[in-house]
């Protein structure tokens, strides 16, 4: 996909255990001209991003003897390349986070889905340089912003609470603990994880070392679309929850 698209969506389950309908958002990665796999100056591919507006994306597909344009209108909102991390957080997470923090709150899931190298990890975790600078959260992704907002909200409300984070990797039919030296994690008969690490988060700064540990432990590979170098490990090859 020329013009890169990743689509974090959300679905929440209330106290009844019933899933609500998902909401899909699209984020367009800025164009790059670095000679890598996503270089916009490269040879055209089968699908090309033709354009977008606030609620739709148009792709063109090159077939053997014809070219067809398709307009997709399922996104609630499309975030263009100029949108900041804060824009995405406020536009995507507002309602789900309120549902999560309500007195009888609901579970919330944010799913980042997209082609390799489209910015899923950056959207969810943040830019690498921002994750080592607690004083500059402008580059933080969705996850550290959710933790920081939750801490402020709970302390403001004056309720007793405990905020913990866990991270597991699903790769090659196995599940491992990304915060626990990649030890195997079991899934019980009720589809719940057991034996995984839980780290307590007392401040927003506590989130950054956890993300660093997760990032270092994830399975990555260099691909033509997302090449590794001295500052970048390449493409994440697994599912991280």
């Amino acid at each position: 996909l020329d013009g890169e698209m990743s689509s974090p969506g959300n679905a929440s389950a209330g106290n009844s255990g019933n899933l609500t309908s998902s909401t899909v958002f699209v984020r367009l990665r800025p164009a790059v001209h670095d000679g890598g796999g996503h270089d916009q100056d490269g040879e055209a591919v089968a699908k090309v991003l033709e354009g977008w507006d606030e609620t739709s994306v148009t792709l063109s597909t090159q077939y053997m003897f014809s070219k067809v344009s398709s307009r997709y209108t399922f996104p609630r909102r499309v975030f263009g390349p100029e949108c900041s991390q804060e824009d995405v957080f406020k536009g995507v997470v507002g309602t789900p986070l309120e549902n999560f923090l309500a007195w009888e709150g609901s579970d919330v899931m944010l799913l980042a889905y997209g082609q390799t190298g489209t910015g899923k990890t950056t959207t969810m975790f943040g830019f690498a340089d921002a994750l080592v600078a607690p004083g500059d959260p402008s580059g933080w992704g969705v996850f550290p912003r959710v933790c920081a907002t939750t801490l402020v909200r709970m302390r403001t409300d004056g309720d007793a609470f405990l905020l913990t984070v866990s991270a597991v990797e699903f790769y090659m039919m196995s599940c491992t603990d990304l915060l626990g030296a990649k030890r195997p994690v079991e899934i019980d008969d009720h589809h719940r994880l057991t034996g995984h690490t839980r780290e307590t988060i007392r401040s927003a700064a506590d989130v950054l070392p956890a993300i660093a540990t997760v990032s270092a432990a994830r399975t990555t590979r260099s691909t033509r679309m997302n090449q590794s170098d001295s500052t970048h490990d390449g493409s994440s090859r697994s599912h991280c929850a």
Side-chain angles (χ1 to χ4, degrees), residues 71 79 107-108 162:
R71 183 170 178 259
F79 297 92
D107 295 331
V108 173
L162 176 66

Side-chain angles (χ1 to χ4, degrees), residues 8 10 21-26 53-56 72-79 91-92 95-96:
N10 65 72
S21 59
S22 297
T23 304
V24 178
F25 300 85
V26 172
D53 56 32
E54 290 188 354
T55 57
S56 71
Y72 299 93
T73 59
F74 56 79
R76 170 168 292 184
R77 180 178 172 186
V78 176
F79 297 92
V92 172
T95 299

Side-chain angles (χ1 to χ4, degrees), residues 48-104:
V48 176
L49 178 66
E50 279 193 352
W52 67 90
D53 56 32
E54 290 188 354
T55 57
S56 71
V57 173
T58 301
L59 303 179
S60 66
T61 303
Q62 181 64 57
Y63 295 101
M64 185 175 295
F65 300 111
S66 63
K67 184 177 180 180
V68 177
S69 293
S70 300
R71 183 170 178 259
Y72 299 93
T73 59
F74 56 79
R76 170 168 292 184
R77 180 178 172 186
V78 176
F79 297 92
E82 75 286 351
C83 289
S84 66
Q85 297 282 67
E86 183 175 7
D87 292 334
V88 174
F89 174 73
K90 289 182 176 180
V92 172
V93 183
T95 299
L97 186 56
E98 285 299 315
N99 292 339
F100 172 71
L101 293 174
W103 179 249
E104 294 184 356

Side-chain angles (χ1 to χ4, degrees), residues 167-178 182-187 193 219 237-241:
V168 297
E169 176 179 77
F170 297 95
Y171 178 67
M172 297 292 286
M173 303 297 292
S174 65
C175 180
T176 55
D177 188 349
L178 292 174
K182 300 200 77 170
R183 292 188 300 269
V185 174
E186 299 293 330
I187 301 176
L193 299 175
T219 302
R237 297 287 82 200
S238 64
H239 298 287
C240 175

Side-chain angles (χ1 to χ4, degrees), residues 89 97 140 142-153 163-165 201 203-204 207 211:
F89 174 73
L97 186 56
W140 287 5
V142 167
F143 181 70
R145 290 173 184 269
V146 165
C147 291
T149 303
T150 298
L151 288 168
V152 171
R153 171 71 173 273
L163 180 64
T164 64
V165 299
I201 302 298
S203 70
V207 181
I211 292 178

Side-chain angles (χ1 to χ4, degrees), residues 103-120:
W103 179 249
E104 294 184 356
S106 60
D107 295 331
V108 173
M109 180 182 72
L110 299 175
L111 172 67
Y113 178 84
Q115 182 181 334
T116 178
T118 51
K120 300 181 296 297

Side-chain angles (χ1 to χ4, degrees), residues 212-227:
T213 300
V214 170
S215 298
R218 289 196 69 184
T219 302
T220 59
R221 293 288 186 276
S222 181
T223 68
R224 290 180 63 185
M225 297 298 288
N226 193 359
Q227 299 170 1

